[in-house]
């Protein structure tokens, strides 16, 4: 399952001795040399259209005055070269991201789409939700800390202290729900 690209994602790649920053946006990709401000930006539709043009045979065009248009041809060659480089950079960035993995493969396999927003469900990723202390959980549940300990909820030990995931607390409360009596 692919993760939707909803925010810009920047990665560094090295080609030879030169380091480049590749930023993938939902609507375009930008490539710039590290330490430089100017970048090459190509929209995804332009990139796909270019790929289709590269696969199609090129028909020679006859200039209106009979003379070749050297300047425009050189510009087109430069743009084509930059687009080929951008395609190569994207391929390398994709390989790097696949190897590095934005999330461990086990978590990616568990990730499910959020039915309301179509984004990855953040509930399963404890590293983005605040962790609660024993006292905070006791306050939320309106019980004593000792009672919370007796519940046997899953915890994460940090610095010698137990922390509770909010999703674990929510799941516990869902399990404790009693149907309304009439």
């Amino acid at each position: 399952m692919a993760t939707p690209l909803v925010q810009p994602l920047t990665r560094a790649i090295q080609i030879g001795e030169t380091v480049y920053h590749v930023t993938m946006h939902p609507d375009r990709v930008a490539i710039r040399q590290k330490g430089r401000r100017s970048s090459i930006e190509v929209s995804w539709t332009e990139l796909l259209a270019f790929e289709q043009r590269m696969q199609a045979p090129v028909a020679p065009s006859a200039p209106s005055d009979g003379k070749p248009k050297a300047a425009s041809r050189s510009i087109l060659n430069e743009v084509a070269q930059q687009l080929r480089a951008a395609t190569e950079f994207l391929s390398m960035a994709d390989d790097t991201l696949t190897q590095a993995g934005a999330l461990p493969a086990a978590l990616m396999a568990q990730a499910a789409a959020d039915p309301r927003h179509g984004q990855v469900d953040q509930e399963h990723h404890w590293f983005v939700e605040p962790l609660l202390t024993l006292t905070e959980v006791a306050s939320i549940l309106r019980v004593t800390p000792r009672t919370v300990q007796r519940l046997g909820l899953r915890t994460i030990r940090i610095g010698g202290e137990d922390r509770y995931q909010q999703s674990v607390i929510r799941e516990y409360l869902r399990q404790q729900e009693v149907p309304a009596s009439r």
Side-chain angles (χ1 to χ4, degrees):
M1 176 173 106
T3 303
L5 181 65
V6 293
Q7 294 180 353
L9 176 67
T10 302
R11 294 290 186 257
I13 59 171
Q14 184 169 351
I15 300 174
E17 298 295 318
T18 310
V19 177
Y20 295 90
H21 286 206
V22 178
T23 305
M24 293 185 289
H25 299 267
D27 61 338
R28 68 188 183 286
V29 63
I31 302 170
R32 69 174 173 81
Q33 189 173 350
K34 184 178 179 182
R36 302 265 173 99
R37 288 184 176 212
S38 62
S39 65
I40 301 167
E41 292 192 9
V42 180
S43 74
W44 294 112
T45 53
E46 290 172 1
L47 189 61
L48 293 173
F50 171 76
E51 179 64 26
Q52 290 173 351
R53 283 194 304 272
M54 292 303 291
Q55 292 176 357
V58 177
S61 60
S64 57
D65 60 358
K67 296 179 184 176
K69 296 183 178 180
S72 63
R73 188 58 143 167
S74 66
I75 291 171
L76 288 175
N77 285 338
E78 184 179 338
V79 169
Q81 182 180 9
Q82 290 176 350
L83 286 173
R84 278 189 218 104
T87 304
E88 182 181 335
F89 293 150
L90 279 174
S91 176
M92 291 172 63
D94 183 46
D95 292 344
T96 303
L97 288 173
T98 301
Q99 289 172 1
L103 294 173
L107 289 177
M108 288 296 284
Q110 291 177 2
D114 179 354
R116 281 178 273 166
H117 306 290
Q119 297 175 351
V120 173
D121 183 3
Q122 298 295 321
E123 183 177 3
H124 298 292
H125 306 297
W126 60 266
F127 50 88
V128 295
E129 67 178 341
L131 299 174
L132 303 171
T133 65
L134 176 65
T135 308
E136 290 170 330
V137 173
S139 175
I140 290 169
L141 298 178
R142 297 181 190 246
V143 295
T144 65
R146 182 73 184 130
T147 302
V148 172
Q149 290 174 333
R150 288 184 193 141
L151 294 175
L153 300 171
R154 283 192 334 251
T155 61
I156 298 171
R157 185 163 291 266
I158 299 176
E161 292 186 27
D162 288 337
R163 303 287 183 203
Y164 297 83
Q165 298 170 321
Q166 290 180 359
S167 57
V168 171
I169 306 303
R170 281 193 300 271
E171 183 59 33
Y172 172 78
L173 291 173
R174 278 189 212 110
Q175 292 173 355
Q176 301 306 311
E177 285 181 357
V178 178
S181 59
R182 295 184 181 198

